[in-house]
Amino acid sequence: MNTEEITQLNEQHVINTYGQRKLALVRGEGARVWDAEGREYLDFFAGIAVCNLGHCHPTVTEAICRQAQTLVHISNLYYIEPQVKLAALLSHHSFADKWFFCNSGTEANEAAIKLARRYWSVKGTPKPEIITAEHSFHGRTLGALSATGQPKYHQGFEPLLPDMKYVPYNDLQALEAAITDRTGMVLLEPIQGEGGVRVPDPGYLAGVRNLCTEKNVLLAFDEVQAGLGRTGKLFAQEHEQVTPDIMTLAKGLGNGVPIGALGCTNAVAEGFAPGAHACTFGGNPLSAAAALATMEVLTSPGFIEAAAETGAYFLGMLAAVAGDHAAIRQVRGRGLMLGVEFDRPVAPLIEALLDAGIICGPAGPNVLRFLPPLIVEKPAVDCVIAALEACLEELGW
Ligand SMILES: *Cc1c(COP(=O)(O)O)cnc(C)c1O
């Protein structure tokens, strides 16, 4: 099919919740993708931080093919070999003792909300209140949406879940003031993604950890976007050496095969018991095999370190561009999760970059966000920087 034909069918039969561009990408390899007419693009968004190993990584593709010929699905009523291997590997590389698997980031956060509530309820001290941050993003199902501190996503869906409170991000005093004896969990992104690529000040996450321990509140980190090598560490919490009680993963976990996960300590896992929570597809053989292969590549020696180095190089190049353009307010981020804040909406710039063959995206109206596959190398970064400079020139910014 050509782009015109795909566009027509999409407009007739797909509910318009995305407001897509008229572009159909039909093939990918590494950091490159091709549209229906065969035009090549450099993908610096990786399907929204999903294809961290690049498109069609051979190790993952081989694992998917092998598993598809062996067993695709069997349900969680029985043990699943790739799932238990994945859980053990995730535990080996994190604070978490135990895992629950689902299909997406919102489901992982939904599980975190339910786990926290049930944990305190089972203990006989119900503490239903959950505190999250302004500008946060935790997903679109009603619980995770209620946890999301952005009113624009709430409009039209009220009433939301009760007992949700939002505090300014990166403000320890505000959090301390908000915690009451009804607070059961604080849920935060260790680096905010969707809300503008916001990196907290050093010490903030450690301060949050201390506060939660002191006040007997569970701490959950949403690592759905920042996790899995994206920020130059396997998990973004490692930058501050802070461990939560619960963490959620999704996006990059299966390198494109849908899978989400919640990890927690043994103590917190006691909040769930057989029948308390479930997911038909969660961690099924196919998605778990893809995630296991992804994790093996991600944790291979030097892989994430190389991505961190490319990220530092990219950040430096972006900072140099910022020096020449007053329209750029700030360049920020960690590893290969980078944002460029402008003094104006970035939509026209994203369009211009796309015309130049570069795929990236926004993080709120004024922030340009780059989330390239972690396998990108300096020449690809140079190519994006050159295109960015040309587009800024063309727009007169
Ligand atoms: C994308 C995202 C989610 C939601 O993930 P879905 O898989 O789209 O449900 C949750 N939290 C963060 C931090 C995200 O970036």
Side-chain angles (χ1 to χ4, degrees):
M1 288 173 82
N2 64 32
T3 301
E4 200 48 54
E5 291 163 340
I6 296 170
T7 302
Q8 254 182 30
L9 272 192
N10 190 88
E11 283 176 3
Q12 267 174 31
H13 296 293
V14 179
I15 295 178
N16 185 9
T17 55
Y18 297 99
Q20 285 114 326
R21 281 173 192 82
K22 217 170 143 181
L23 172 65
L25 299 163
V26 297
R27 187 165 70 85
E29 191 184 319
R32 286 170 201 281
V33 288
W34 288 268
D35 71 12
E37 277 68 41
R39 186 178 175 211
E40 185 178 304
Y41 298 80
L42 199 46
D43 184 4
F44 265 50
F45 216 47
I48 322 185
V50 167
C51 299
N52 284 1
L53 308 184
H55 295 279
C56 299
H57 190 283
T59 307
V60 181
T61 297
E62 205 224 292
I64 294 170
C65 293
R66 206 180 337 110
Q67 192 60 48
Q69 289 171 333
T70 310
L71 184 68
V72 171
H73 180 82
I74 194 62
S75 99
N76 282 298
L77 298 175
Y78 315 101
Y79 295 137
I80 296 171
E81 185 182 343
Q83 184 190 118
V84 300
K85 284 183 171 168
L86 173 62
L89 188 59
L90 286 167
S91 285
H92 179 72
H93 288 286
S94 72
F95 76 95
D97 302 306
K98 292 218 165 91
W99 295 86
F100 171 82
F101 294 97
C102 50
N103 309 295
S104 64
T106 199
E107 281 180 51
N109 288 322
E110 205 72 28
I113 293 166
K114 288 183 70 179
L115 178 58
R117 288 208 169 160
R118 202 169 185 281
Y119 173 82
W120 292 113
S121 164
V122 165
K123 270 189 174 295
T125 49
K127 299 208 272 183
E129 188 179 85
I130 290 165
I131 300 178
T132 69
E134 291 168 7
H135 303 292
S136 61
F137 186 82
H138 299 295
R140 304 286 199 147
T141 54
L142 270 171
L145 179 67
S146 305
T148 294
Q150 298 193 56
K152 69 175 179 188
Y153 292 127
H154 295 166
Q155 271 162 31
F157 298 112
E158 297 91 349
L160 300 175
L161 210 60
D163 285 317
M164 290 285 176
K165 250 192 208 168
Y166 316 106
V167 295
Y169 190 65
N170 199 25
D171 182 340
L172 208 53
Q173 277 179 346
L175 179 62
E176 182 162 16
I179 294 177
T180 69
D181 53 14
R182 297 186 70 250
T183 309
M185 177 169 77
V186 171
L187 169 64
L188 293 174
E189 293 158 87
I191 294 178
Q192 288 190 328
E194 158 78 31
V197 191
R198 293 166 204 264
V199 184
D201 292 336
Y204 171 67
L205 296 177
V208 172
R209 172 70 276 179
N210 290 339
L211 208 51
C212 287
T213 305
E214 192 183 301
K215 305 233 176 187
N216 202 19
V217 173
L218 297 178
L219 174 60
F221 283 154
D222 177 344
E223 292 255 13
V224 168
Q225 184 167 154
L228 301 161
R230 176 55 49 198
T231 69
K233 299 271 187 197
L234 185 57
F235 301 113
Q237 60 199 256
E238 293 168 24
H239 290 289
E240 301 284 329
Q241 290 158 318
V242 175
T243 51
D245 304 294
I246 298 172
M247 86 166 150
T248 53
L249 303 175
K251 290 197 165 86
L253 187 54
N255 208 50
V257 177
I259 181 167
L262 173 152
C264 64
T265 59
N266 277 323
V268 174
E270 295 293 313
F272 278 164
H277 193 50
C279 181
T280 299
F281 293 126
N284 86 358
L286 188 73
S287 65
L292 185 59
T294 302
M295 274 296 291
E296 281 167 359
V297 177
L298 271 179
T299 58
S300 62
F303 186 90
I304 291 177
E305 288 78 359
E309 200 191 309
T310 312
Y313 174 75
F314 194 5
L315 185 69
M317 297 295 277
L318 288 171
V321 174
D324 297 334
H325 296 273
I328 298 179
R329 280 203 184 126
Q330 199 187 23
V331 173
R332 57 186 183 242
R334 259 188 171 141
L336 285 166
M337 179 172 176
L338 299 174
V340 184
E341 185 175 336
F342 284 79
D343 63 1
R344 62 196 79 186
V346 293
L349 178 58
I350 292 172
E351 283 302 318
L353 282 164
L354 193 61
D355 287 341
I358 308 293
I359 296 174
C360 60
N366 293 1
V367 179
L368 186 68
R369 181 169 43 154
F370 293 107
L371 302 163
L374 307 183
I375 45 106
V376 289
E377 291 177 346
K378 287 174 187 168
V381 170
D382 292 340
C383 190
V384 169
I385 292 291
L388 178 61
E389 279 182 319
C391 290
L392 290 173
E393 221 55 61
E394 186 189 303
L395 290 164
W397 292 10

